[in-house]
Amino acid sequence: MRLFIPFLPRPSIVPVIRLGGTIGIGARSLNDEALAPLIEKAFRMKPAAVALQVNSPGGSAVQSSLIAARIRRLADEKKVPVHAFVEDVAASGGYWLACAADDIWVDESSIVGSIGVIFASFGFPELMARQGVERRVVAAGKHKSLADPFLPQKAEDVERLKALQAPIHQAFIDHVKRSRGQRLNPTADLFNADIWVGRQSVDLGLTDGVAHAVPKLKALYGDKVKLVPLGRRRSLFQRLGLSLVAETLGAAEDRALWARYGL
């Protein structure tokens, strides 16, 4: 039988939210709808702090923004510090998530950055012509077939896509500047979608130091701190392997994002 002694202090609680994987709307991906219950639960636990374990090559800018905004809003409302710990990579949207924290800690070999926006596709018009395949498109609105991979690339489409990317890129830059503030190296070109490794990112002010979650959190909140891991549960279909086609396609898309960072 456990004896409750009210005058003994309870150990500090730090929920650890795992943000691992690509960011998007699929069942495999990190998104605000799936993560909202975990994030809300973490801040309801009356924690000393909330920790984020980030391992993501990025994905959807909107989902990155929604997740980060939810974390930051609750942190400010509850006056709870948030610490991010980067594993293999926090790039693009992954770094967007890390910047929801008050400080960011990396491994010596973590990859950080890629503060940019990308649109990528393939073009098949010459292959189709050789095979005698004719592309037929009927659309209302001249931009409805924007960047159609079965038609030759048009200069006006490229300019239109760049115009769409610019405000998204600026929103990302603004988020990083709000989060990192004066810690950013003012002379470095940080927003050209480049990436850096471990201590390089610290020197540039993108992160705060080299540290791993357990020892760092113990150093901050005491050896008796209680770390509570929080992660998404797989659906019944995923556990039983009943979504094979979706899983296979999702895995291919995930692999393409991870491959950009050699992982």
Side-chain angles (χ1 to χ4, degrees):
M1 180 176 179
R2 186 174 179 181
L3 182 63
F4 175 65
I5 305 176
F7 54 81
L8 288 181
R10 293 184 178 182
S12 298
I13 295 175
V14 178
V16 182
I17 303 173
R18 179 155 192 82
L19 301 176
T22 57
I23 304 166
I25 59 173
R28 296 172 51 89
S29 301
L30 299 172
N31 56 71
D32 185 59
E33 180 181 13
L35 289 170
L38 293 180
I39 297 169
E40 301 280 347
K41 178 180 179 180
F43 284 95
R44 284 199 305 268
M45 295 171 71
K46 297 182 179 178
V50 170
L52 311 175
Q53 281 191 309
V54 182
N55 198 9
S56 174
S60 164
V62 172
Q63 292 301 318
S64 301
S65 177
L66 289 172
I67 296 165
R70 183 181 297 277
I71 293 169
R72 197 65 252 157
R73 181 172 63 252
L74 288 169
D76 293 340
E77 287 176 3
K78 307 289 185 181
K79 295 180 172 54
V80 172
V82 179
H83 311 288
F85 296 89
V86 179
E87 295 181 352
D88 298 280
V89 59
S92 195
Y95 185 64
W96 195 316
L97 297 184
C99 283
D102 296 288
D103 47 51
I104 304 171
W105 305 92
V106 293
D107 182 82
E108 291 278 8
S109 300
S110 296
I111 295 174
V112 174
S114 191
I115 303 169
V117 182
I118 187 171
F119 170 85
S121 69
F122 297 93
F124 305 102
E126 294 180 4
L127 175 62
M128 291 173 60
R130 287 198 299 270
Q131 298 300 319
V133 179
E134 179 185 1
R135 173 70 163 161
R136 296 175 180 175
V137 178
V138 178
K142 69 175 185 176
H143 292 302
K144 197 64 179 177
S145 61
L146 178 70
D148 189 322
F150 301 103
L151 296 175
Q153 182 169 270
K154 302 175 185 176
E156 62 187 85
D157 284 357
V158 173
E159 290 305 309
R160 177 61 179 152
L161 288 170
K162 288 182 177 179
L164 292 171
Q165 289 174 332
I168 301 173
H169 190 200
Q170 189 59 53
F172 194 175
I173 293 170
D174 292 343
H175 172 65
V176 173
K177 287 183 174 179
R178 281 194 303 271
S179 172
R180 303 301 300 167
Q182 298 301 314
R183 289 172 287 186
L184 294 173
N185 185 323
T187 64
D189 184 7
L190 301 176
F191 305 118
N192 64 1
D194 203 352
I195 55 175
W196 295 272
V197 175
R199 202 168 293 279
Q200 294 175 337
S201 69
V202 178
D203 295 339
L204 292 168
L206 294 169
T207 62
D208 295 284
V210 175
H212 294 168
V214 173
K216 186 64 181 180
L217 291 171
K218 284 187 175 183
L220 290 171
Y221 301 103
D223 287 338
K224 294 185 182 297
V225 64
K226 184 179 180 182
L227 305 182
V228 183
L230 298 177
R232 294 178 303 160
R233 295 185 62 186
R234 299 175 68 201
S235 70
L236 177 63
F237 283 99
Q238 289 173 315
R239 293 198 300 270
L240 295 177
L242 299 180
S243 55
L244 182 60
V245 174
E247 288 284 309
T248 301
L249 292 174
E253 293 175 356
D254 289 357
R255 193 70 219 153
L257 273 173
W258 285 108
R260 294 179 58 207
Y261 304 101
L263 301 167

